[in-house]
Structures are given as C-alpha cells and as structure tokens.
C-alpha cells in the first residue's frame, strides 16, 4: 500500500507555498501518517522561511479538514512531522546552510514542485527557476548525499513536477518520454539559452537607461501623474523603467518560445529544464510527473478547493462580468484540465513506488508520467462554453447598480480576429483617454473620463488573456497517459480509492457546474445578488475610518476641494474691483486668452506657476487689497464653496480632530477661513512701503512640500501617518495624498480620478449650492462714463498688471 511504502520516510517538498505544493503537503500529512515532511521555503522580504510556512501554508483553508480531524492535536502533529528549511531553487546550492544540507541528505524522497508558473514571466526569471531549478535540486541532492549520507544507503528519489505542455507542439499523440535533444532535433542547447537569457536582462537594462528611453519614460510618468512633483515623477519614471525591462523580457521569452514551437516561456523553460535535468542527474533516481492544466479539487481536501486564480479563472470571471465577449478556440477542441487532487495522488504514488516501474522507458532516462485528461476523458471546449453560459445565465453576476449581467454567446472566432479586435479597441480608447485627460474637467465628468481608462485597461487585460491562454485552446497535442494508468492499475483496491488519479472518474458536467464554478465565484468576490449592497461599501468603511473618534489630523487643499475657484479668479476679482467697465472687459479678455498657457504651466509645475502668476501683484497697495479680500470672500469664495466640504471640516473639529488648510492661495484671500482651521499654511507676498513686491516670501507649499508639512504637523501632536487624513483634487497633491494614512480625492481631475480608482481611495464629489450668484468678476465701484485713470493711478486699490505682463 502507498501509506505503508512511505511509512517512516522523510519527504522533502519544494514549492509548498504554491497551489500544487500546498495540496501535496496537506495530503501527505493526512493520508500518509507515518511520513515526515521537510519544506524548502524561500524566505520573503519580511517573513522568514518558518513564518511563511506558518502563515502561507498551514493557515490555508486546505488544512481545514485535517484541523477538524485532529482538533487540538493539529499543532502537535505539525510540530512533530513538519520541518522547514530556508532555501531558494533559483540559487546554486539552493542557498542551504550546513544544518539544512544535512537534513536534506537524510530525506528519502524529494518532490520538486517549485516553479515560476506565470505564463508571462520575464525570460531570465523563468530560466533560473524552471530551466535550472530541477538540475540545481538534483546537483544539491548528489552533493549532500556524498557529504552526509552513508555510502551503502541508496540515493534519494527525485520526483520532479513538469508540465504536459512540454509536448504542446505535437499534433496528435504526445508520449511519456523525456525531452532530449536526440528526440527533439530542433531544440537548442539549454546552456546557450541560459547564457542568452542572462545577457538579455543586462541588454534591456542598458537600453532602458539611454537618454531617449529615459525621456520617453519621464513623459509617460508626467502624462500619468501630471504635476505631481519632482520626487514622485522620478519615482514613477524609475518604476516604469523597471516595468519596461520586465516587459521586454516577457516579450522576448514569448517570442523565443513560439519560434521553437511552444505557446509561452513557461512550457519552453520547462522543456529545457527536463533536458538539463537529464544531462546533469548522473546516477540520481529521477521520475518526472507532467500534469496538464491543474484546476480546483474534485474531492480532496474538499470539492472546489483552489489557491489563487489559475489559467481558466480570469477568463471565466471576465466572461461572467460581460468583459470578455469573445475567446479563440474551436468547439470540438479539447481543454485538457486535471483536478489538483488527482495530480497530488499521482505524485504520491510515484514517490511510493520509486523510479523503477514495470513498463518504464529507456534505463538511461528518468521515467515520465503524464497526468492529463485529453485522451482518457476528453473535455470539449464547446462543452465548457455551453456549461458556463448556462450556469451564469441561471446565476448571473450583478453590476455596481445591482442589475444582472447578461453573458454573451461566444461564436468561436480565430485567435487572430479576437486579438485584432481587442487591439483596435484598446488603441481607440487610449486615444480618447489622451484627448479627454487634457480637458480641464473635474468631479463627475472627470470620473467618466477616468472610466475610459478603466475600459482601456479591461481591453488590454482581455487581450492579455487571449495572447497568454489562446494557444492552449488550440493545442492539437493529445497527452498519452499509458504509463500513468499502468501505475494506477498496479495499485490495490484500497489505494485506487484513497489515491485515485484516473482521469476517467471526472464527470465534467458535475465538476464544472457543481464544483469548479461555485468555487471560482466564491474566490472572485463578485456580486452574486441583486439590488444595492446591504453591507457597507468600501467607500463607507473608508469614510467611517476617516471620521473615527480616534485622534486624527485632517489636512485640506482649498481650490476645487473646498471651493470652486482658483488664484486666477481671485486675482481677476481683485484686479477689476475698481476698474471702469471697458478696462474690466479688456483685463477679462486678456486673462481668458492666457488661459491655455496658464493651465499648461500649472500642470507642469504648480510652484513655478504660482511664483510667475503672483508677480502680477507687484506694486499693488497692501491695505486696499486686504480690505477688498473680505468682500472677495463673500462675493466669490463663499458663493463658490462646497457646503459638504465645509461640513466635513466641521465634522472633524466636532470629533476633536486637528484641522489644517494647506493652499497656494494668498494669506489675505483665505484669512476669513481661519475660524474653521487650527492652522492655515498659505502663500504670502513680500511688502515694501505699503505695497506688494510680487515676490513670494517663502516657497509655495506645493507638491512634496505639502507632504512634509503634513507629516511635521501631525508629528507635533504625536501622531503618525496612520492618523492623517488628506483631501485634495489634483495630481499635484499626490505626494500629500500618498503620505496620508487616509487619502481622499475630492472632485478629482481625470488623472487623479484614475489614480484613486486604481488604489482604492475614496472619492468625494462635492457640489456648490445651486441658485447662488456666479460672478467671475467683482461688481465695479466705478460708474459708467467716469474717466479711467492712468495705469498707476488705476492701480490704487487694485493689483494692476504691468505693461506686457498679460500679453
């Protein structure tokens, strides 16, 4: 029996934090009670190997059944039977210390399931883990065996998990044979591929640092973030550079794989990994298990158990949400899916029976077992589509308004047509987005503009699914399972029941409709009931946290956040307060004509814009301006205010929160707002002989300066980031919003709306009180027909522009 064969054995497992590895560890602990398990886990950035085992493996719901069976004894059973060692299959020697090496040497079986399973992983990363990982494990097993293992003791057995899709380039039957250069004449030498992949990152990195590429990336960062400040733009540019390097390596891997007949870098590197293992294993006993597309459990540990989204899940959910209206494939094509518990049972059976199996291949080659359904129990693509359409028609998902989503009927187009349609849709939406983002719109209209970006993201995501997975629906290889079935037939009746891995046991209709789809929907966290949400939305929860009774420092921007006005309108009001009608009209026309230039300067650098614009106050009389500013507040600022915004300030104060206004507006403009705030940080102009100099007496509080001010101000009350709330409307305030524990986008411009949507920030759409006056200019104190003084005399009481300054 399998349990008896593995009784007293020590089994090492790599990749235990993954989907297949987690299921394997659980099954060993539950169904092979006499074995010990050694987990080779790569330490994370913040968690060590043991902590990752506790959090990412043993706390997974995969172990709920075992926890229920053992009750209070679960922790003791784990402590007795499970040992974790720190290691990394992407490093020569696996990065093991001496204690870990000795423990690995004591193992009887090593199951190597660690892999970069993403189909669009960068080429160099896939090469290091998928191609070199198996041979590294084999080399380390041989090394530690020679160093620590008695010579008379047999070498341990390596069970390496590969993929059936190493044979995906075949048409027709694909046998259970090792990938070797003698069988696949078109294969390159794996050593050359490793060297080329390692050079590719250096080459791509060097290209990403050229002046032309850096300028392109900085333009992309500015387009995305606007006038977010130098530090954030630099940070985003560098992140885009790293993403460009990775994307270049992803495309390189995809192109190289397809040139050699594989659908992606995953199958390509797995194939060469088998070749490298065959070349380097020496006399180490090796078996290879090749599953096809591994999906949710049929029975063990419970029907539908799954960890993370696999290949089919993103496509299914996108279809159910009405986002993916077409997908390539042919109705009679086979989708070769295998439940994870059947794969786990096959691995354990192979480990129990050892590498020498009747009916095995060439003595010089590792024995290969394919665990796939396409030959034994084919599942047609058309059947899958019909079952999904029927299931989601009867159990639709619901949109944000609580309305049922009607799923489309797929017509099985070719992959080229679907890709072409999606590329055109993405480019069209990108063009609309670029034009719309240039418009000075805010609030609800900006939300609609940012929704265009979201639709473009969805189109690009759908295109990615088609490019990644489309080839798998068109694969014509039929993976033979003769050796696997021979192994299964050799088992006794008890083992065939307890460790079933015969694909024929799967009833596909039952599996899809009763097992897989309910599990997928539950994990996707999508809306499955009609009507409005009964539970609090994410925005409601965020608002509750913001208005918590806990200590808070609430920081507010002014323009477009609390009032629908700006420094240009304030200047226009003050500048026309004492002008005759003709002069008022002339100044208004000049400001309107300058609008595009001023807007462009503001978007490029808020600080430079303020310094430049405030020069217009040069030589204006201080006393008259400060007096007029009180009328400005009542005539313009107050009538343009957002009542909900001012109420939010009062709500914070009622809760005992500290309130701070940070604005680029001038001190005399915001002075009437002082009773609402504990402190106001604003711009101030220099004064000389009773007149403004037009020069700033301090750096305008914009961009990064606002973030630093907020942090220092909160710290003065003994509060940290988690206690700060920031309200702002523009990407120029991104540094402040990102530095806050609770960022809130208020009436955001399109770029900030898109950022808030991506990062899950709450968005407030505050409006002016309807019916109030809308006067962009002051009511003149001069009567029609009076003589307009000379420019200097006309400036008595006004910030008159110098000659040419408004041209």
């Amino acid at each position: 029996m399998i349990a008896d064969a593995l009784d007293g054995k020590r089994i090492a497992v790599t990749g235990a934090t993954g989907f297949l590895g987690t299921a394997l560890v659980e099954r060993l602990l539950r169904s092979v009670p006499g074995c010990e398990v050694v987990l080779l886990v790569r330490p994370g950035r913040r968690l060590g190997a043991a902590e990752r085992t506790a959090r990412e493996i043993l706390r997974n719901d995969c172990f709920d059944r075992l926890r229920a069976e053992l009750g209070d004894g679960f922790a003791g059973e784990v402590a007795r039977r499970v040992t974790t060692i720190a290691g990394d299959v992407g490093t020569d020697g696996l990065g093991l210390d001496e204690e870990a090496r000795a423990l690995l040497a004591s193992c009887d079986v090593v199951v190597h399931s660690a892999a970069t399973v993403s189909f669009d992983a960068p080429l160099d990363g896939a090469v290091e883990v998928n191609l070199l990982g198996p041979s590294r494990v084999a080399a380390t097993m041989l090394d530690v065996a020679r160093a620590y293992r008695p010579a008379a003791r047999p070498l341990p057995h390596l069970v390496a998990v590969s993929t059936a899709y190493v044979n995906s380039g075949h048409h027709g039957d694909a046998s259970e044979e090792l990938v070797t250069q003698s069988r696949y004449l078109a294969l390159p030498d794996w050593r050359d591929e490793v060297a080329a992949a390692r050079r590719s990152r250096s080459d791509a990195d060097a290209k990403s640092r050229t002046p032309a590429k850096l300028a392109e990336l900085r333009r992309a960062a500015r387009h995305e973030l606007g006038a977010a400040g130098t530090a954030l733009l630099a940070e985003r540019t560098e992140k885009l550079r790293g993403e460009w390097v990775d994307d270049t390596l992803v495309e390189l891997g995809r192109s190289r794989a397809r040139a050699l007949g594989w659908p992606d870098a995953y199958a390509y590197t797995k194939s060469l990994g088998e070749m490298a293992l065959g070349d380097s294993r020496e006399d180490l006993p090796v078996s290879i298990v090749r599953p096809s597309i591994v999906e949710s459990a049929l029975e063990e540990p419970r029907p539908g158990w799954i960890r993370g989204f696999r290949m089919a899940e993103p496509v299914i959910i996108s279809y159910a949400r009405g986002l993916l209206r077409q997908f390539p494939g042919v109705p009679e094509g086979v989708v070769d899916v295998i439940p994870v518990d059947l794969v786990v049972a096959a691995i354990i059976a192979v480990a129990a029976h050892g590498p020498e199996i009747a009916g095995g291949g060439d003595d010089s080659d590792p024995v290969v077992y394919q665990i796939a359904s396409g030959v034994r129990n084919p599942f047609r693509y058309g059947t899958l589509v019909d079952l999904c359409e029927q299931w989601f028609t009867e159990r639709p998902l619901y949109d944000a308004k609580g309305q049922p989503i009607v799923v489309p009927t797929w017509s099985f187009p070719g992959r080229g047509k679907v890709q072409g349609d999606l590329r055109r849709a993405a480019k069209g939406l990108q063009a609309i987005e670029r034009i719309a983002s240039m418009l000075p719109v805010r609030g609800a209209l900006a939300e609609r503009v940012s929704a265009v970006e979201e639709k473009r993201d969805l189109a690009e995501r759908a295109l990615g699914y088609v490019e990644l997975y489309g080839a798998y629906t068109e694969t014509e290889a039929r993976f033979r399972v003769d050796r696997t079935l021979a192994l299964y037939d050799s088992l006794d009746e008890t083992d065939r029941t307890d460790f079933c891995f015969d694909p024929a046991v799967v009833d596909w209709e039952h599996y899809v409709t009763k097992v897989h789809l309910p599990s997928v929907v539950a994990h996707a966290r999508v809306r499955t009931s009609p009507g409005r949400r009964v539970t609090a939305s994410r925005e409601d929860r965020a608002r509750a946290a913001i208005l918590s009774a806990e200590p808070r420092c609430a920081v507010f921007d002014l323009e477009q956040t609390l009032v629908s006005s700006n420094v240009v309108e304030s200047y226009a009001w003050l500048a026309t307060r004492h002008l005759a009608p003709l002069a008022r009209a002339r100044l208004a026309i000049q400001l309107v004509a300058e609008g595009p230039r001023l807007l462009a300067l503001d978007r490029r650098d808020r600080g430079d814009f303020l310094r430049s614009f405030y020069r217009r106050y040069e030589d204006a009389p201080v006393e008259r301006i400060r007096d007029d500013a009180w009328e400005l507040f009542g005539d313009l600022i107050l009538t343009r205010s957002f009542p909900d915004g001012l109420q939010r300030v009062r709500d914070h104060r009622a809760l005992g929160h500290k309130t701070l206004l940070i604005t680029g507006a001038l001190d005399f403009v915001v002075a009437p707002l002082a009773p609402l705030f504990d402190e106001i940080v604003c711009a101030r102009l220099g004064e000389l002989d009773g007149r403004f100099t037009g020069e700033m007496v301090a750096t305008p509080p914009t961009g990064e300066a606002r973030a630093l001010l907020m942090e220092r101000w909160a710290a003065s009350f003994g509060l940290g980031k988690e206690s700060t709330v920031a309200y702002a409307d523009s990407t120029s305030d991104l540094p402040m919003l990102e530095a806050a524990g609770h960022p809130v986008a208020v009436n955001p411009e399109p770029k900030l709306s898109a950022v808030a949507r991506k990062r899950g920030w709450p968005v407030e759409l505050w409006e002016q009180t309807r019916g109030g006056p809308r006067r962009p200019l002051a009511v003149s104190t001069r009567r029609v027909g009076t003589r307009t003084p000379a420019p200097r005399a006309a400036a008595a009481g006004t910030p008159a522009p110098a000659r040419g300054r408004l041209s």
Side-chain angles (χ1 to χ4, degrees), residues 744-768:
V744 183
V746 179
N747 300 333
E749 63 182 12
K751 285 186 176 67
L752 181 59
S753 180
V755 171
R757 187 190 299 271
K758 289 178 181 177
R759 302 184 186 178
W761 294 348
V763 174
E764 298 285 2
L765 301 179
W766 292 336
E767 297 181 349
Q768 296 175 237

Side-chain angles (χ1 to χ4, degrees), residues 400-552:
K401 297 180 180 179
Q403 297 301 308
I405 299 172
V406 179
V407 292
T409 299
W410 280 357
S411 58
F412 305 104
R415 186 151 42 119
K417 181 181 185 306
V418 177
Q419 288 175 324
D421 290 346
L422 289 172
R423 285 195 186 102
R424 284 189 291 273
K427 287 182 179 179
L429 289 168
Q430 186 177 36
I432 295 172
E433 175 199 350
R434 185 174 294 275
I435 294 171
S437 66
M438 298 171 64
L439 302 175
V441 296
R442 295 181 180 275
L445 188 55
E447 286 280 281
R448 296 191 189 98
V449 172
S450 69
V452 174
E453 180 181 358
E454 184 177 23
K455 289 180 179 178
R456 191 232 335 138
D457 288 342
L458 291 173
E460 291 179 347
R461 193 183 313 164
L463 178 60
Y465 293 153
V466 171
E467 291 177 338
L468 285 176
Y469 307 136
Y472 287 84
T473 66
E474 299 173 345
T475 297
E476 297 183 24
R478 297 294 173 260
F479 308 121
R480 302 295 306 179
V481 291
D482 305 283
R483 185 177 290 119
T484 301
L485 292 178
L487 173 61
Y488 181 74
D489 290 340
S490 72
L491 304 179
D492 61 27
E493 191 62 34
T494 300
D495 278 347
R496 284 200 294 267
T497 300
D498 294 343
F499 297 92
C500 178
F501 52 90
D502 183 358
V505 302
V506 183
D507 177 336
W508 291 117
E509 181 175 355
H510 172 81
Y511 175 75
V512 170
T513 61
K514 304 297 184 183
V515 176
H516 189 64
L517 290 181
S519 176
V520 169
V521 169
H523 280 78
R525 298 179 181 177
V526 289
R527 184 177 295 190
T528 58
S529 58
R532 297 287 182 178
R533 288 184 183 271
V534 177
T535 58
S537 66
R538 181 174 61 181
E539 290 77 12
D540 291 336
R541 292 193 299 272
R543 194 171 290 113
I546 288 167
L547 295 175
S548 165
E550 297 292 323
R552 293 279 186 268

Side-chain angles (χ1 to χ4, degrees), residues 694-727:
E695 296 180 356
M696 307 291 296
V697 297
T699 302
T702 62
E704 292 86 356
R706 292 192 175 194
L708 294 173
L709 279 169
M710 179 182 68
E711 291 173 356
R712 287 199 297 265
W713 192 69
S716 70
F717 299 104
L719 299 177
K721 175 179 178 177
E722 69 282 354
S723 298
T724 56
V725 185
Y727 297 85

Side-chain angles (χ1 to χ4, degrees), residues 105-161:
S106 70
C107 292
D108 303 284
V109 179
V110 175
V111 179
H112 174 54
S113 67
T116 298
V117 297
S118 173
F119 293 161
D120 59 347
L123 176 60
D124 60 330
V127 162
E128 294 295 334
V129 176
N130 295 345
L131 195 162
L132 293 174
S135 56
R136 282 197 183 106
V137 172
T140 305
M141 290 173 65
L142 289 168
D143 183 39
V144 300
R146 293 172 183 134
Y148 298 98
R149 203 176 182 95
R153 186 178 177 185
L155 289 171
H157 176 201
L158 171 60
V159 180
V161 180

Side-chain angles (χ1 to χ4, degrees), residues 40-43 85-98 100-101 104 136 140:
L40 189 149
V41 177
R42 178 172 54 84
I85 58 177
D88 183 359
V89 300
T91 302
D92 290 342
L94 307 185
L96 303 178
D97 59 25
E98 285 304 313
R101 282 169 54 83
L104 181 64
R136 282 197 183 106
T140 305

Side-chain angles (χ1 to χ4, degrees), residues 260-345:
L260 295 172
W262 286 285
D264 50 48
Y266 175 68
Y268 155 66
T269 52
K270 278 289 192 178
S271 299
L272 296 184
E274 287 192 15
M275 184 191 300
L277 178 60
D279 287 349
S280 59
R281 72 182 183 93
E282 299 181 15
D283 55 346
L284 185 73
V286 174
S287 300
I288 294 176
V289 177
R290 290 179 183 161
S292 55
I293 300 171
V294 185
E295 288 292 352
S296 63
L298 179 66
E299 295 289 346
E300 304 276 352
R302 59 174 173 78
W305 177 80
I306 194 170
R307 178 168 191 169
F309 270 13
R310 317 317 305 165
M311 189 187 93
E313 288 69 45
V315 176
I316 289 173
I317 290 300
S318 294
Y319 166 75
R321 295 175 63 193
L323 305 177
L324 192 59
R325 310 197 68 81
Q326 296 288 356
F327 202 79
V330 291
E332 61 273 18
V334 173
V335 181
D336 206 314
V337 172
I338 194 76
V340 65
D341 44 341
L342 272 65
V343 180
V344 166

Side-chain angles (χ1 to χ4, degrees), residues 24 276 604:
L24 174 62
R604 186 164 59 249

